[in-house]
Amino acid sequence: MTDHPDVAQVHALAAELLDEARGHHSHRAARTLVTGTSLRATLIALTDGAELAEHDAPPAATLQVLSGRVELHTHDHRRALDAGDLAPIPPARHGLTALADSVVLLTVALR
């Protein structure tokens, strides 16, 4: 593991990142909480309407919505996710759009 704290105060950090996203031109902010040889967990804050453009899927990943509402989409499918929802990332090019100010936890298998 790299030099991340043993325990992350996720809710406090989520609020901090959302404030940061509100002031950033991209309307998003992120912080990696855990990095290892086979796993990465990243907290991502997006303001209402902000997007993560389509990109290739990792080998395996999940997205947990901690607050707000987002839409996870591929070329031919859209799924709205609310706070508390956990969903697998589809094994296809995909993107994410915030339908409200939102914070998500992205967990990615690196191998």
Side-chain angles (χ1 to χ4, degrees):
M1 297 281 170
T2 60
D3 181 22
H4 299 289
D6 290 338
V7 176
Q9 298 297 320
V10 175
H11 289 291
L13 185 53
E16 180 183 318
L17 285 177
L18 199 48
D19 283 343
E20 188 178 320
R22 288 181 180 121
H24 198 274
H25 71 278
S26 69
H27 303 284
R28 61 182 190 253
R31 179 125 359 116
T32 298
L33 304 179
V34 176
T35 302
T37 57
S38 59
L39 176 81
R40 181 176 58 235
T42 304
L43 200 58
I44 305 168
L46 305 110
T47 61
D48 186 12
E51 273 194 334
L52 294 177
E54 276 197 10
H55 52 279
D56 291 331
T62 60
L63 185 73
Q64 181 178 6
V65 183
L66 301 178
S67 66
R69 181 175 173 83
V70 298
E71 181 180 78
L72 181 60
H73 51 86
T74 64
H75 177 69
D76 60 354
H77 184 73
R78 296 183 174 280
R79 172 181 282 164
L81 301 169
D82 292 304
D85 289 348
L86 173 70
I89 298 293
R93 284 187 63 79
H94 63 279
L96 186 69
T97 303
L99 303 176
D101 287 358
S102 302
V103 178
V104 299
L105 180 63
L106 173 65
T107 304
V108 176
L110 300 175
R111 334 178 189 182

